[in-house]
Amino acid sequence: MSERIKYLLDETQIPKCWYNPAADLPAMPPALHPGTGRPVTPDDLAPIMPPALIAQELSTERAIEIPEPVRQAYARWRPSPMFRARGLERALRTPARIYYKYEGASPTGSHKPNTAIAQAFYNKEAGIARLVTETGAGQWGSSLAFAGAMFGLDVKVYMVKVTYHQKPYPKSLMETYGAVCVPSPSRETAAGRAILAEDPECSGSLGIATSEAVEVAIGDPRTNYAGGSVLNHVVMHQTVIGQEALLQMDMAGDWPDIVIGCAGGGSNLGGLSFPFIGESLRKGRKVRVVAAEPASCPTLTQGRRAYDYGDTAGLTPCLMMHTLGHSFVPPPLHAGGLRYHGIAPLVSHALAHGLMEAVAVPQTSCFAAGVQFARSEGIVPAPESTHAIQVAIAEALRCREEGRAETILFCLSGHGLFDLPAYTRHLTGQLHDEACDQERLDRSLARLPAFAKA
Ligand SMILES: *Cc1c(COP(=O)(O)O)cnc(C)c1O
C-alpha cells in the first residue's frame, strides 16, 4: 500500500496512559505561589482543582493511567486519523514526505476535547458542580461545554471580547451544549471591573479572561477552574495525539525528521511532539521539533524566559516560561487561540534545553498556506493550524531546494469552518500583518512579578 494516504488505528489502540514529559526532561523549575513566592503545594491548588489533577500537575511519573470512562469518551472520535499529504506534496513539487495528524474530527473540531473530557471526568468524580474557564477563539470554551454535557457539569465561559464579537458561532455552540458564555472583561468580577475602570474599551485578552474565571472558582467551593492549555496536566492529556502518531508513523514505515505544531499555550505542539522527544531522549532517535507562533504575539521568539503569572490580575501561580508579560494585550489577530502572553512551562523548558526551535510567522502568509492546503488536501484548517502548515510548507520547499527527502509531520489542530469570515477577509485582501509593538512589549516585561528571574 505505498499509495496509502490515510493511517487509521482501531479503538483498542487508544492510548491506555498519558505520557508525562517531565519524566524524561531535565528537572523543571517549580511553579511558585503568587503571594509567597514559594513552590506551590497541593493545598494551594485545592480551591480550584480536584486532587487527581493536582497530582498530575505535580507528577514526574512517566505514565499516568487513563480512566476507562475517559477512554470511552475518547472513542467518540479517537484514535484520530493521520494523513499523508500527497496533494500538498504534489502542489509543492517537493521530495519531502509530509504527514499530518488531524485533530479536527472531534465533536467541537479541535484537539481541545482531549483534555476537556479528562478534566470534566475528574471534577465530576470529586463532587464538583460547575467548571469555569476562559476562551480566546471559542474552541476551548465549546470543548469544555461539550465535556460538561457528557459528564453532567455546569460550565461557564469568559470569552475574550474581541473574538466574542468577531465569531458568533462558538457562543451558539457553547449554549447548545448548555453552557453560559460571557464577554470578558465583564462587570461580574473584581478583575474585570478593574480592567474596565482603566480601559472601558478593552478588547480583552486570555490573561484577563483567566483572571475572571480563577476569581470565580476561588470564591465558590462547588466551582472549579479548568485550564485549556499551558498547565502540565493539560499538555499531558494531549499526548494521546503524539502516542497515536508514533504508532501511525510505524504503520507508514517512517519516522519524522521534523515535527511541527502551532503554539498558543503549547498543548497541541507539546501533545504531538513530546512522545517523539521522549523516544529521542530515551533511544537516541533524532527529531527536530518546531513551534510555529504568530509574529504579532511572539512569546517564544521575543518573550523572556522568567517566572510570570498565567493571568493578568496575578491570581494564578507563577510559572517559569517564555512570556511577553502578563499585562501584554496582543493585537486582535484572527488566530485567537494563539493570543496568549505565556506558554506551557514544559514547552518553554524544552525550548530552553535545545529540544525545540521556534519561528514566528505573519498572519497573511499563514492564511495563504491555509488556502493552499484547503485546495490541495480538502480540509479548511483553523487559522491557528495554518501557522503549522506555513512552517511545514517552508520546510518542504527547503527540502526541494536542497534535494532532500525529509519526513515532515505536523499537527492539524482543528478545522476552520467557524472561521470562514476570516478566510473571506483574506481572499478579499483585507488582512494585514501587525508586528509586535516593541514599546508595548518592553512596558509589559517591566511589570513581571518581583521575584521573576531573567
Ligand atoms: C486553542 C487552539 C490552538 C492553540 O492552543 P495550544 O494549547 O497551543 O494547542 C491551536 N489550534 C486550535 C485549533 C485551537 O483550538
Side-chain angles (χ1 to χ4, degrees), residues 110-112 139 229 262-269 337-338 382 384-385 413-414:
S110 77
H111 64 292
K112 300 254 173 31
Q139 277 136 334
S229 188
C262 65
S267 74
N268 86 86
L269 164 71
L338 305 186
E384 290 83 358
S385 315
S413 51

Side-chain angles (χ1 to χ4, degrees), residues 20 78 81 160 209 231 236 273 296 354 356 380 392 410:
N20 183 0
R78 305 209 71 82
V160 175
L231 301 169
M236 196 186 310
S273 66
S296 58
M356 279 190 196
V380 178
F410 70 86

Side-chain angles (χ1 to χ4, degrees), residues 208-222:
I208 295 168
T210 303
S211 292
E212 297 207 83
V214 170
E215 181 184 323
V216 171
I218 290 173
D220 177 359
R222 301 209 60 205

